[in-house]
Amino acid sequence: MNNSEKLEEIIGYTFKNKRLLEQALSHSSYANEKKHSLQSNERLEFLGDSVLSIVVSEYLYTHLRSVAEGDLTKLRASLVCEKSLHVFAEEIHLGKFLLLGKGEENTGGRERPSILADAFEAVIAAIYLDGGMDAARKHILHFMPKDIGQSAKPVFDDFKTVLQEVVQKNPEEKVEYVLIGEEGPDHNKRFVVEVMLNSQVIGKGKGRSKKEAEQLAAKEALELMGYETR
C-alpha cells in the first residue's frame, strides 16, 4: 500500500482521479523543485476554503437553530481558522503524506500549522472535484465537534471577526488588510500585514502565512482599542 492509498484509507475516500490527491499534497516548494507540469496545492486551497465555509455554515445553521447570527459567525470562524484546521490535519496525520521541497522538509514543514491547514483545505477541494459536494460534506462533517449543540462558544479566538464586529457599529468605517512585505527565504518566509481603518494603520502583524499575519494585525488593533484579547 503506497502513501496515497494509506491516506485514502484514513479519510475513508478513494479517489477516481489520483492526480487530484497528488496535487492536494504538493506544497509549492515541491512543485517548484520538480519544475514540470505538476501544480502546487495553492489553487485547490483557494477552492477548499470556500467549500469548507459553506458546509460548516450549513451545518451550524441546521443544528443551532436558536443561536443568533453573530454567534454563528464567531463559531464558524473558530472552526475554519488555521488553528482548528491544523488540529483537524493532525487527526488524519496529514503531515506524513505531504510532498515538500528539501528546504521545507529540513525546516520542519511537516509540522508547520500553516502548511498543514492549507493542505487540509486542498484535500477538501480535491474530494469535491473528484466526488462532488456530498463527498466533500461527508469528509468535513467528520471533524465537527460532537457536542456543538451544547455550546455556541467559539473554540478559538478569531480576532479578524471580532474587529469587524467592532467596526460595524459605525457603518461608515472600513477595515482593510494590506500585505506590506515578505521576509526570509522561501522555506521560512514571514508575511507582514497592516490592518487599516479608513486608510489609517491601526495594527500590524507578522506571521508564517498571510492568514496568521492578518490575525495578529487584528489582535494588535483590538488591544490598542482597549479590548482584552487573552
Side-chain angles (χ1 to χ4, degrees), residues 112-195:
R112 187 163 296 138
S114 60
I115 290 179
L116 287 169
D118 290 348
F120 186 83
E121 290 181 326
V123 169
I124 289 173
I127 293 173
Y128 168 74
L129 292 173
D130 191 72
M133 181 59 86
D134 287 343
R137 182 183 293 107
K138 181 180 179 181
H139 173 70
I140 293 167
L141 294 184
H142 170 77
F143 300 93
M144 293 299 98
K146 301 298 184 289
D147 61 346
I148 199 165
Q150 300 173 19
S151 172
K153 291 183 178 180
V155 181
F156 304 112
D157 290 322
D158 186 283
F159 303 115
K160 286 181 66 177
T161 298
V162 176
L163 179 60
Q164 188 63 39
E165 290 185 346
V166 170
V167 172
Q168 282 177 347
K169 295 176 183 177
N170 299 302
E172 69 279 3
E173 306 282 2
K174 179 184 177 183
V175 170
E176 183 180 8
Y177 293 87
V178 179
L179 178 67
I180 63 169
E182 300 179 9
E183 303 174 357
D186 287 342
H187 66 271
N188 194 27
K189 194 176 289 294
R190 294 292 192 278
F191 298 89
V192 184
V193 169
E194 288 180 343
V195 57

Side-chain angles (χ1 to χ4, degrees), residues 1-188:
M1 184 181 294
N2 61 35
N3 267 1
S4 294
E5 291 171 340
K6 289 178 183 176
L7 181 57
E8 288 177 324
E9 185 176 51
I10 291 172
I11 65 177
Y13 181 81
T14 301
F15 281 84
K16 296 182 285 291
N17 183 352
K18 304 296 183 182
R19 288 186 63 83
L20 279 171
L21 179 56
E22 181 184 13
Q23 183 182 346
L25 298 174
S26 298
H27 187 257
S28 58
S29 62
Y30 178 81
N32 291 339
E33 282 187 9
K34 294 303 176 183
K35 294 182 180 179
H36 57 67
S37 59
L38 178 67
Q39 291 185 325
S40 75
N41 60 11
E42 291 177 346
R43 284 173 55 83
L44 285 176
E45 175 206 342
F46 164 78
L47 177 59
D49 180 72
S50 296
V51 175
L52 174 66
S53 182
I54 195 167
V55 170
V56 172
S57 297
E58 178 187 51
Y59 180 78
L60 296 177
Y61 178 82
T62 302
H63 286 77
L64 301 177
R65 296 183 180 277
S66 62
V67 177
E69 181 270 341
D71 289 330
L72 288 175
T73 298
K74 292 177 183 177
L75 185 54
R76 179 182 61 192
S78 77
L79 291 169
V80 303
C81 71
E82 182 179 293
K83 191 170 183 179
S84 288
L85 299 185
H86 175 217
V87 172
F88 300 158
E90 288 192 320
E91 284 185 27
I92 58 174
H93 311 290
L94 190 56
K96 290 168 51 177
F97 304 99
L98 296 180
L99 300 172
L100 303 174
K102 292 179 182 178
E104 284 293 352
E105 184 74 68
N106 294 333
T107 55
R110 293 188 185 279
E111 291 80 40
R112 187 163 296 138
S114 60
I115 290 179
L116 287 169
D118 290 348
F120 186 83
E121 290 181 326
V123 169
I124 289 173
I127 293 173
Y128 168 74
L129 292 173
D130 191 72
M133 181 59 86
D134 287 343
R137 182 183 293 107
K138 181 180 179 181
H139 173 70
I140 293 167
L141 294 184
H142 170 77
F143 300 93
M144 293 299 98
K146 301 298 184 289
D147 61 346
I148 199 165
Q150 300 173 19
S151 172
K153 291 183 178 180
V155 181
F156 304 112
D157 290 322
D158 186 283
F159 303 115
K160 286 181 66 177
T161 298
V162 176
L163 179 60
Q164 188 63 39
E165 290 185 346
V166 170
V167 172
Q168 282 177 347
K169 295 176 183 177
N170 299 302
E172 69 279 3
E173 306 282 2
K174 179 184 177 183
V175 170
E176 183 180 8
Y177 293 87
V178 179
L179 178 67
I180 63 169
E182 300 179 9
E183 303 174 357
D186 287 342
H187 66 271
N188 194 27

Side-chain angles (χ1 to χ4, degrees), residues 159 162-163 166 193-197 200-205 215-230:
F159 303 115
V162 176
L163 179 60
V166 170
V193 169
E194 288 180 343
V195 57
M196 308 181 76
L197 180 63
Q200 289 191 332
V201 178
I202 58 172
K204 185 175 180 180
Q215 286 287 346
L216 293 174
K219 180 176 186 287
E220 181 175 278
L222 288 167
E223 290 172 346
L224 291 173
M225 291 178 181
Y227 287 86
E228 178 62 52
T229 60
R230 293 175 178 79

